[in-house]
Amino acid sequence: MSRFADLAHRLRPGAQSLRETWRSPSFVVDANIAWNHVIVAGSVMLALHVRNMDDFYNLGGAVQQFVSLCALVPALLAVLSSILINRRRAIGRSLALITNYLGMVLSAVYLLHLWGVFVGVDDIARALYKHWQWLLGFPIAYALLWLAGRVPEKSRARAWLEQAALGIAMLTLIVLLWVGNAVSGFAHILGTYDSLSTWLATLMILVFAVLAYRMLHLGEYFGETPDQRIAWQGWLMLSPNAIGFMLFFAGPLLLSFYLSFTDSTGVNPPNFVGVDNYRELLALDFALQDDLSVEPQAALDRGYFVLETLRLSSHRLVVGARDTQFWQSLRNTIVFCLLLVPLSIIPALALAIVLNSKIPGMNFFRALYFLPSVAAVVGTALIWRWLYNANIGYINYAIKRVVEFLNGTFGLGLVDPKYNWLTDNSTMLISIVFLAAWQLIGFNTVLFLAGLQGVPRILYEAAYVDGAGRWRQFRHVTLPLLAPTTFFVMVTTIIIGLQVFNEPYALIPQRPIPLPATTSVYYLYRTGFFNFEFGYASAVAWLLFALIFIVTLVQFRFSRAGAYD
Amino acid sequence: MNERNRIFKLWATRAVVYLVLGAAAFLMLFPFTYMVFTSFKASGDVFRYPPRLLPYSPVTTSYAEKEAPLYRFEIDGRVRELVLTDAKETFGYFTSADLLNADNPRASTILVEMKLDEAMATGEQVTVSGSGDSSASFDAYEVPGQTEPLLLAYRARLDTFADPDDPQTVVYAIARTAKAVEKVDFQLSNYDTVFGLNLDRAFINTVLVTVGVTLGQVVTSVFGGYAFARIPFKGRDTLFLLYLGSIMIPFMVLVVPMYKLMVAIGWENRLVSLIVPWIFTAYGTFLMRQFFITIPVEIEEAALLDGCNRLRILWKIFVPLSTPAIATQVIFTFLYAWNSFLWPLLIIGEGNEPNHVLTLSLIRLSNIAADKPNLVMTGAAIAIVPPMIVFILAQKYFIEGVAASGVKG
């Protein structure tokens, strides 16, 4: 305790000038050590609090223990840094810096939470909705700024326009703050200071910030090298991204992996069940039936249901699965990808080759083809829902006209099929494929165009000199040189296809979506957010990820090996 | 001769090329054209067959102190426009017993068609047998100009059409199947209706979310990208590999725990859950890093020697130099945030309409206006047109960005 007495002594007025005290490294070190005691106490209290919570957000005991252990990490950091900065070791300063910086950020986030800033976004949205006219000030300011860019530099008009744009933007902001009741929002924030935790969080930010700042400037005292100094700057700049990455990516990823081995549901906390979820999903049963008059189901073990039957001369092969819906959705997804690849790639390649001939208007067409890719899938799917309409839709109308034309000119006697695109089990999936292909063609065209730009013109000239015609130039120059691009486009298309969700959801009107149009991600959505089988849904997600991973690995291997040889 | 041949060939090729490109453009644009025109249609105009693209509405004229629709009829070889009146007339369709189709009287061959009250019922009923065992009885009528009584096959209430200038000319027909006089007419009020169905609120929410996500992403990506590109520190390259690997992991793996996380911190049903988790992006960081490493080191070193600190260098040198890269990222993020659907669907409840974004409101609209394609198309247009405008304004950056991802991938 003598250290504290010393600290207090030095802070006493008159003992030293406050400024000098502030500057002295030993004071900062002592203050940091003192603050570390507080961190240890707080960290242990937090860990105990987490440990004693009755219902840890329905995440189960294991996660609770883990989080409670994580809450002890600051304590560990604090103890270590106390010992090491006392010995004037550089690593101790690093630990103290990390602790203080993270402490500052986390308490700032906590303070924002206490202030109600995060939840308050809803109120901001409401205020903007009520006074949306004022939002138009921003586009007007932007338009003025754009105009200013067209005016010759250093002219009075330009300066005036820029001033006006800035003025309007500021004015808009002030008006929005005023009509959006910023004053009452501020009052609300002040109101949160009636609780002790708000005061504590504010205090913590201040202490952490001051200590972090002082520690950062004690490099010399701890013998910091220039490289280390630069490294600090790097970490500092990376930190906003890295902290968010940990919170919203790495953490959930681990949790997802854990959940996939549990029986977590909407009501039950997770219990570890090993690979049960995966076994339930993947288990297949094969049986060979001699007697074809018996139901195929009879050949399967208990708990298995018929997925597929196959006639082999006098026998019948029965394939059963425990979760037939998963397998069917997986099959739908794979069929979807197999259809999507040619339907979106061949037209894209053709368009790219035509667009690559340097004649006027190509950029215009390229932009046109890209439009479907920028529109919201939910919107375009609803358009297509009506185009697919069996009675009044343009697609059936076009088919009818084509059939009539063929019958009229060639006397073929074809029958108008009058598809019920979205309600007939046999056409649902292909309807989704057409929509997705339409959406993807422009995107793939741009990728192919980029690839074509990389083909040296001299090769075509050489082929021309050698007497190769257009087709042979395409066959022997374009296609081989475009192979890496084609491969890349194919893999991207497959990866996009494996994750398809919005298209079936918005295109198919029935709920739940009938099995023939159920894709894997929709199945995941249904198990996770309709049946609330969180553990099971996580397992589905990881299986799908495994599939995507394999596709990516294949791409990685081939793109390394096969580029331009 | 050879020269002319060459020019001819050139133009022929061009004609074929433009034809192919035009056909493709038609296929790509037709759904949007359909959307725009349908969004201006009146509700009575959407279920016509064969379908037509332009929005029409009936032409009316004032008749008997009321506005009434006009219909087009051919009378004595002349096309005349008649007005639909309120008067109705019951018509009888008469035929003989042997021509009558008892199973489907409306399919019988009709001999006489006239106002029912001008014929006289005899009071007799005649039973006519149809195919098989079925039979039906019909009333017999004395019909003027016919010697034998005829049977009433069926009757129909016909609408009366009159010439507004010459009330003597009257035509009886069924208004539903008659040819209405129509003019092209854009129903702008559809937009009012649809905005009133919560799409106005959703629009503002979407703007707020999109702006928030875009700004946040650009800021964190610029900082992170700069650190990865220019500041050497231990573990940087390992961390960068981790970032790269994370791009490969699809969002669906994170769906369940992210949902649980949002519930745990009380963000479910809140707009903030659509913004804050999305502003930290590995892909954007990667994009900015790739651009920053192409900026010459010399510029930066000179500035460092002059005593500039890192933040100043970033703000004064890197940000202005990388406007194209930042623009690319802004546009990518804008489109991604504007069009996102799965996450809002999970996190914002169906009943929580004040916090809906456009994609959610659009799905809801498609349910409540399931039989009004004009309204659904209006909603789709509201959701689709803003990103298209942004794309058209900034397509250079966008297409370059997509192309770059392909070349590097």
Side-chain angles (χ1 to χ4, degrees):
Chain A
M1 278 297 125
S2 69
R3 190 178 285 277
F4 293 121
D6 193 31
L7 204 62
H9 177 75
R10 270 194 281 169
L11 275 172
R12 211 179 53 206
Q16 240 177 338
S17 89
L18 207 62
R19 196 181 162 78
E20 260 175 64
T21 309
W22 179 244
R23 288 274 170 106
S24 85
S26 60
F27 171 73
V28 177
V29 167
D30 288 350
N32 204 328
I33 291 173
W35 181 245
N36 278 346
H37 286 82
V38 180
I39 296 178
V40 171
S43 162
V44 169
M45 269 162 61
L46 186 68
L48 284 175
H49 172 70
V50 170
R51 223 184 126 83
N52 293 333
M53 273 168 79
D54 285 339
D55 165 38
F56 190 67
Y57 306 113
N58 209 6
L59 284 171
V63 178
Q64 188 169 7
Q65 298 294 341
F66 180 76
V67 173
S68 139
L69 275 180
C70 285
L72 284 176
V73 170
L76 186 72
L77 282 173
V79 169
L80 277 176
S81 77
S82 287
I83 295 169
L84 290 167
I85 52 175
N86 202 24
R87 293 184 189 163
R88 213 172 152 172
R89 298 269 292 274
I91 180 90
R93 168 174 171 261
S94 304
L95 288 177
L97 255 177
I98 292 172
T99 319
N100 289 327
Y101 179 70
L102 286 182
M104 181 185 78
V105 172
L106 291 180
S107 31
V109 171
Y110 183 58
L111 183 64
L112 288 177
H113 172 76
L114 289 175
W115 280 359
V117 170
F118 296 124
V119 176
V121 175
D122 292 4
D123 299 320
I124 296 175
R126 191 182 312 124
L128 289 181
Y129 169 64
K130 268 192 198 149
H131 308 283
W132 64 270
Q133 304 90 332
W134 294 105
L135 280 176
L136 294 176
F138 292 119
I140 292 170
Y142 183 79
L144 285 180
L145 209 61
W146 181 84
L147 260 180
R150 314 272 125 175
V151 172
E153 241 173 294
K154 285 180 186 153
S155 68
R156 272 182 63 189
R158 180 166 185 156
W160 187 85
L161 279 171
E162 279 174 356
Q163 294 277 329
L166 194 68
I168 290 178
M170 294 303 283
L171 206 68
T172 310
L173 198 66
I174 291 169
V175 170
L176 277 177
L177 283 176
W178 179 255
V179 298
N181 263 335
V183 180
S184 77
F186 193 67
H188 170 79
I189 288 177
L190 286 183
T192 59
Y193 278 92
D194 61 351
S195 92
L196 188 64
S197 39
T198 323
W199 285 103
L200 275 180
T202 317
L203 188 75
M204 272 162 64
I205 295 177
L206 287 176
V207 176
F208 274 129
V210 167
L211 284 177
Y213 181 80
R214 289 305 305 151
M215 267 292 164
L216 196 63
H217 289 79
L218 282 188
E220 226 169 290
Y221 177 77
F222 285 99
E224 180 191 47
T225 63
D227 280 353
Q228 282 169 340
R229 200 178 140 68
I230 292 173
W232 281 120
Q233 295 171 342
W235 280 109
L236 195 66
M237 287 212 160
L238 199 57
S239 63
N241 210 319
I243 291 171
F245 189 74
M246 296 300 276
L247 283 180
F248 296 113
F249 180 82
L253 191 71
L254 285 180
L255 185 56
S256 164
F257 193 64
Y258 165 71
L259 285 177
S260 76
F261 293 100
T262 67
D263 60 358
S264 164
T265 65
V267 277
N268 295 328
N271 298 305
F272 191 77
V273 292
V275 292
D276 276 9
N277 288 332
Y278 292 97
R279 196 186 304 145
E280 179 77 13
L281 281 167
L282 292 177
L284 285 177
D285 184 21
F286 296 89
L288 209 55
Q289 255 182 338
D290 300 326
D291 186 357
L292 295 184
S293 60
V294 180
E295 283 278 297
Q297 180 69 52
L300 296 173
D301 293 343
R302 260 190 63 194
Y304 288 86
F305 302 96
V306 178
L307 183 66
E308 195 64 74
T309 57
L310 197 69
R311 279 290 297 274
L312 302 164
S313 61
S314 63
H315 303 288
R316 176 160 59 193
L317 179 67
V318 183
V319 184
R322 291 186 75 89
D323 187 345
T324 50
Q325 296 206 357
F326 168 74
W327 284 99
Q328 287 194 25
S329 69
L330 191 64
R331 184 169 59 189
N332 290 340
T333 311
I334 290 170
V335 170
F336 177 85
C337 289
L338 291 180
L339 291 171
L340 183 65
V341 164
L343 280 175
S344 71
I345 287 185
I346 294 170
L349 182 60
L351 284 177
I353 285 167
V354 175
L355 282 174
N356 201 35
S357 55
K358 305 264 179 288
I359 52 179
M362 291 303 119
N363 286 348
F364 171 72
F365 279 110
R366 185 180 63 174
L368 275 191
Y369 300 152
F370 207 85
L371 278 178
S373 311
V374 300
V377 176
V378 175
T380 54
L382 289 175
I383 304 175
W384 279 74
R385 196 193 267 189
W386 284 99
L387 291 177
Y388 275 130
N389 186 293
N391 298 318
I392 58 155
Y394 266 97
I395 291 174
N396 270 359
Y397 179 62
I399 293 176
K400 184 177 166 238
R401 292 298 292 268
V402 169
V403 167
E404 279 171 4
F405 172 76
L406 290 178
N407 287 346
T409 1
F410 305 107
L412 292 179
L414 296 173
V415 180
D416 180 8
K418 286 210 168 98
Y419 293 117
N420 287 314
W421 290 98
L422 303 181
T423 45
D424 196 322
N425 284 350
S426 58
T427 50
M428 271 181 209
L429 194 63
I430 192 78
S431 310
I432 306 170
V433 175
F434 286 144
L435 165 65
W438 172 78
Q439 194 114 32
L440 209 57
I441 284 175
F443 187 81
N444 286 348
T445 307
V446 170
L447 290 179
F448 273 126
L449 267 174
L452 281 171
Q453 242 111 69
V455 179
R457 281 216 97 65
I458 194 151
L459 288 178
Y460 288 108
E461 283 158 23
Y464 182 74
V465 169
D466 288 348
R470 290 226 162 200
W471 168 249
R472 291 186 58 193
Q473 282 180 26
F474 172 71
R475 175 74 192 75
H476 294 291
V477 180
T478 312
L479 268 193
L481 284 181
L482 214 54
T485 313
T486 315
F487 191 67
F488 172 76
V489 174
M490 217 161 83
V491 171
T492 335
T493 308
I494 292 174
I495 291 178
I496 292 173
L498 287 175
Q499 297 177 55
V500 67
F501 172 80
N502 294 2
E503 285 88 348
Y505 190 93
L507 186 65
I508 306 291
Q510 296 105 295
R511 290 289 175 273
I513 290 178
L515 204 54
T518 296
T519 62
S520 292
V521 179
Y522 183 77
Y523 181 70
L524 160 73
Y525 165 77
R526 219 181 54 196
T527 44
F529 296 91
F530 257 82
N531 307 343
F532 295 102
E533 294 168 0
F534 289 135
Y536 200 66
S538 299
V540 175
W542 279 90
L543 283 178
L544 270 177
F545 171 52
L547 204 63
I548 290 173
F549 188 72
I550 291 167
V551 175
T552 318
L553 270 191
V554 169
Q555 188 224 346
F556 223 63
R557 263 201 69 71
F558 277 81
S559 65
R560 284 289 152 82
Y564 290 87
D565 52 18
Chain B
M1 195 60 211
N2 202 8
E3 180 65 9
R4 270 179 65 185
N5 216 344
R6 207 182 62 81
I7 288 176
F8 173 75
K9 240 180 120 174
L10 182 74
W11 280 104
T13 325
R14 283 197 177 185
V16 171
V17 164
Y18 282 123
L19 208 68
V20 170
L21 292 179
F26 173 77
L27 285 179
M28 299 311 257
L29 290 188
F30 183 76
F32 296 123
T33 321
Y34 170 78
M35 169 189 83
V36 170
F37 283 125
T38 310
S39 78
F40 290 113
K41 282 189 177 185
S43 291
D45 188 31
V46 284
F47 287 108
R48 278 184 56 103
Y49 190 85
R52 59 184 179 186
L53 213 47
L54 287 173
Y56 286 90
S57 66
V59 174
T60 59
T61 189
S62 83
Y63 179 79
E65 286 149 21
K66 258 173 60 186
E67 282 294 312
L70 279 171
Y71 286 79
R72 196 169 280 139
F73 291 98
E74 207 181 294
I75 304 168
D76 309 328
R78 264 184 58 216
V79 176
R80 293 173 72 165
E81 288 179 358
L82 304 185
V83 68
L84 173 68
T85 66
D86 290 337
K88 296 227 177 202
E89 196 69 57
T90 307
F91 263 62
Y93 296 81
F94 302 97
T95 188
S96 60
D98 45 331
L99 287 176
L100 215 140
N101 182 344
D103 301 318
N104 183 6
R106 282 175 191 267
S108 345
T109 315
I110 301 300
L111 290 177
V112 175
E113 153 188 355
M114 64 186 305
K115 284 185 189 167
L116 196 60
D117 50 13
E118 287 173 10
M120 189 100 115
T122 58
E124 267 178 82
Q125 284 218 326
V126 176
T127 302
V128 180
S129 58
S131 61
D133 304 332
S134 68
S135 66
S137 35
F138 295 90
D139 295 322
Y141 279 80
E142 290 284 0
V143 177
Q146 298 281 332
T147 47
E148 296 284 310
L150 291 181
L151 300 183
L152 176 66
Y154 60 96
R155 58 180 79 195
R157 293 277 285 173
L158 295 190
D159 299 289
T160 312
F161 297 85
D163 190 327
D165 307 321
D166 169 21
Q168 247 40 45
T169 314
V170 172
V171 168
Y172 302 99
I174 297 170
R176 197 162 42 81
T177 53
K179 231 180 177 171
V181 181
E182 289 173 309
K183 62 171 193 292
V184 175
D185 185 24
F186 289 81
Q187 302 287 323
L188 292 169
S189 61
N190 284 347
Y191 282 81
D192 279 343
T193 315
V194 169
F195 272 124
L197 291 168
N198 197 44
L199 261 83
D200 50 356
R201 189 80 198 256
F203 191 92
I204 298 290
N205 287 344
T206 310
V207 169
L208 183 69
V209 167
T210 307
V211 168
V213 171
T214 310
L215 279 183
Q217 270 205 16
V218 168
V219 170
T220 62
S221 304
V222 164
F223 279 116
Y226 179 76
F228 275 133
R230 277 305 154 76
I231 309 183
F233 55 87
K234 231 200 227 161
R236 180 187 73 172
D237 296 332
T238 325
L239 197 64
F240 186 64
L241 270 182
L242 259 171
Y243 262 64
L244 271 188
S246 78
I247 294 175
M248 202 175 63
I249 293 177
F251 173 61
M252 61 193 178
V253 177
L254 304 179
V255 155
V256 169
M258 280 288 270
Y259 175 79
K260 290 205 147 212
L261 181 65
M262 294 298 122
V263 173
I265 57 182
W267 284 8
E268 94 271 32
N269 264 322
R270 301 288 191 167
L271 284 176
V272 66
S273 65
L274 306 183
I275 303 175
V276 172
W278 299 99
I279 61 181
F280 313 100
T281 143
Y283 186 71
T285 313
F286 169 71
L287 213 70
M288 293 317 298
R289 184 239 182 212
Q290 295 305 82
F291 195 85
F292 284 160
I293 50 174
T294 63
I295 293 175
V297 190
E298 288 77 21
I299 305 178
E300 192 185 1
E301 278 171 353
L304 273 174
L305 280 180
D306 286 350
C308 259
N309 69 31
R310 294 273 179 186
L311 275 179
R312 254 181 92 81
I313 290 173
L314 188 59
W315 181 242
K316 291 279 176 191
I317 298 174
F318 277 74
V319 171
L321 278 179
S322 41
T323 321
I326 293 176
T328 305
Q329 211 210 333
V330 165
I331 294 156
F332 266 112
T333 317
F334 173 89
L335 290 178
Y336 190 77
W338 187 280
N339 294 340
S340 71
F341 176 59
L342 176 57
W343 180 243
L345 176 72
L346 296 179
I347 211 75
I348 307 283
E350 211 174 317
N352 184 16
E353 279 157 29
N355 279 354
H356 272 189
V357 288
L358 273 176
T359 42
L360 289 182
S361 269
L362 198 53
I363 286 288
R364 184 172 160 273
L365 178 72
S366 77
N367 292 332
I368 57 177
D371 56 346
K372 292 203 174 65
N374 50 341
L375 297 188
V376 177
M377 291 306 119
T378 309
I382 292 167
I384 284 175
V385 169
M388 276 196 178
I389 291 172
V390 169
F391 167 71
I392 289 166
L393 290 179
Q395 54 134 325
K396 190 181 87 181
Y397 299 118
F398 196 76
I399 287 180
E400 273 169 12
V402 172
S405 79
V407 171
K408 280 178 187 120

